[in-house]
Amino acid sequence: MNLMSDSFEKPMAESVETKAHSGSQCSERVWDVICIGSGTGSLAAATALARLGRSVLVLESHSQFGGLTHTFARRGQRWATGFHYTGWPTAYANDFPELWSTLTRDRAPWQKLPEDNDVYLRPDARFTKRATREQYRADLHTAFPREKQTVDCYLADMREYLRQYRRFMTLQAVPRALEQLGVGWYQGRRFLQLDRLSVQKYMDSIKASRHLRETLWFNWGNFDGHPERTSIGAYCVPMEYMMDGLWTPRNGADSAARAFVGSLLEDGGEVRRSSRVTSLLYSNGQVSGVRVGDEIIRGRKIISGIGARETYNLLIAEQRPAVSGRILQLPSTASIMTVYLSLNREALQTLQLNAVNYWVECERDGMYRYWDDFSHLPPWFVLSLASAYQTPVAASEGDIPGELFVGMSHSCFDRWKGSRTQKRGADYAELKSQLLEQTLTQLEKTWPGFRRAVMYAEVSTPLTIESYTGHLHGAAYGIAPVLGRYNERGLRCHSGVGNLFLAGQDVAAAGIIGAFYGGLAAASAVLRRDVSHRLLDRQRFSTLEWMTGGVLT
């Protein structure tokens, strides 16, 4: 077992060649759309727009595209840095699989994970969340026989609330002037009401017992918010999407970015790595291009996929719209320490660790606290084995990858804020060694004999995430799902600055599907039409187009 530095290595040789560019002048070409960042939101928007005939340029500041879909390797083992699993409701109509297949040209297929999705371990109980939806319902009925009606009410509400969310998402493409007239509000009014109701108060309304409600929200890391401060609207999206099971990318997490980029290039788009946008260019009060170093690149429309707060704070600091003030004050999602593990297969089988994720509450109410007192063991952690089911790993007969996540206070690392990876000194390395030892001690306490399964371990702190994503405090999901989040006009695709649009998780929902739909919403806003129906060649108006009298066609 070894502890390495928390910097991710450069990727293996990529199967997709990106078009390079160098120079220090103003290019004569004017792109239809320039996308800043190459996370899933940006790539989904870029690929959709290129497929529909627009000229698109994607600019990525790092040497590897894909954001948190990228992977890194140590000693022949490969880990995903952020894209581990997702889900979608297959029990009723949903267009996600078809849209994903269309934009990736079937080059990023999915692998269904075992039906034992999530295990909740607490000092006084254990519950296994299994797919499908009906199985989940039956298991809840068995575990809570006196609350069957409450369980059924919850499941029905989640389905209805997601339906309202999908109606609300059409609001994201409504021009700001139309939204102010009330067109968008009418479409999304039910969901916007849900956005002001906390998960805690919702559970009160259905009279769920404490044990039941904790069982319903134990995997809160999928929506990332404390039940008292998170809206039931934000909560319902990932929870409902994962009712019918979990999926992981069959060919590795980075296969998604490769597939999107490949499709983009085939449709005439271009991707540039190591191209950090330093500022936006303006003409008549509207954005007209970007500056990369001393190069000027012109674009008719600009989409930022780096996060709403990062866009307002870093790119338009001098010309921020009025709506941005509140966005800059919104809290971030939890900061996470990740321990990347290489685990012995036989030892895991001996321990009977066969589920996808283990959400371990090490002490009563531990799930509600971050780990900021290092004199004690972590109050909770999540052990995920999702990466072990990705084909490049699963085909191996040796050790398998795993990730352990612990919520931490970002303030624990303030002394190193602004420092560079691999240049944070001996004190930082010593703290990581201490944190690793304590987490392994907690793992051993939870599953006696676990240490024998650990062949290798490497720690990544919130500083690592902040270095690679730019998200404040290393928040993996960006802005927290606090009450009223979706009511904020600063989190619409229309940024409030002419020709500048927002994409990704902040305008949709947490996770890979949230980022994907956030990208399609941005593309819809740019084109003033519902790109989902165009991509799937469905010959009908969307609700949004009907509401606006065909303005968005």
Side-chain angles (χ1 to χ4, degrees), residues 373-443:
D373 182 359
F374 299 147
S375 65
H376 297 87
L377 295 176
W380 63 268
F381 65 86
V382 183
L383 175 66
S384 177
L385 302 175
S387 296
Y389 295 93
Q390 297 174 6
T391 297
V393 176
S396 171
E397 295 181 357
D399 302 331
I400 63 174
E403 291 89 14
L404 184 139
F405 308 103
V406 184
M408 305 191 72
S409 172
H410 63 85
S411 62
C412 298
F413 303 93
D414 282 350
R415 60 182 295 191
W416 295 285
K417 188 172 180 60
S419 61
R420 300 176 60 185
T421 57
Q422 297 184 314
K423 296 184 182 296
R424 294 187 173 124
D427 290 347
Y428 179 71
E430 178 59 31
L431 175 59
K432 290 205 305 174
S433 296
Q434 175 188 344
L435 296 175
L436 175 62
E437 177 58 30
Q438 289 178 290
T439 53
L440 292 179
T441 298
Q442 185 64 78
L443 284 167

Side-chain angles (χ1 to χ4, degrees), residues 109-125:
W110 296 92
Q111 171 71 39
K112 182 73 179 291
L113 291 172
E115 291 188 355
D116 286 5
N117 296 162
D118 299 291
V119 175
Y120 178 28
L121 292 177
R122 49 189 278 174
D124 58 347

Side-chain angles (χ1 to χ4, degrees), residues 137-155 206 212:
R137 175 177 177 269
D139 290 341
L140 286 171
H141 281 185
T142 300
F144 302 94
R146 296 182 180 180
E147 297 186 83
K148 290 182 179 180
Q149 290 185 341
T150 302
V151 168
D152 290 346
C153 177
Y154 166 82
L155 294 174
I206 62 174
L212 173 59

Side-chain angles (χ1 to χ4, degrees), residues 2 86 211 311 355 499:
N2 290 300
T86 189
H211 190 184
T311 300
N499 294 336

Side-chain angles (χ1 to χ4, degrees), residues 176 312 319-323 489 492-498 500:
R176 194 171 295 276
Y312 290 132
Q319 301 190 46
R320 291 175 185 159
V323 294
R489 283 199 169 97
R492 303 286 189 264
C493 290
H494 290 270
S495 69
V497 177
L500 177 64

